[in-house]
Amino acid sequence: MVIDRHASHLWDASTIAALDAITEKYHHHGKNVKIIGLNDASVLMRERLAGKLSAGH
């Protein structure tokens, strides 16, 4: 599955937590998820925070 966030910006940790939850849900069902199209700042924030948050934060 591809999530295209073309040139979008992730504004805070809750957005990253939501993407993590989606990714984890699909991985649990044996599906690969690729998130594309993030701007540079969002890519860096996601690299720093992905996997360290839960959807409740």
Side-chain angles (χ1 to χ4, degrees):
M1 180 169 90
V2 175
I3 299 173
D4 186 354
R5 303 280 304 167
H6 181 74
S8 65
H9 182 76
L10 302 179
W11 288 100
D12 58 24
S14 64
T15 309
I16 294 175
L19 289 174
D20 282 353
I22 292 167
T23 301
E24 183 61 31
K25 176 182 176 179
Y26 281 94
H27 281 181
H28 178 73
H29 292 286
K31 305 292 182 189
N32 291 321
V33 177
K34 183 174 184 177
I35 299 170
I36 62 170
L38 297 173
N39 64 23
D40 292 340
S42 296
V43 169
L44 291 174
M45 183 169 37
R46 186 160 186 264
E47 287 173 352
R48 192 175 72 244
L49 297 175
K52 298 177 183 171
L53 307 166
S54 67
H57 290 120

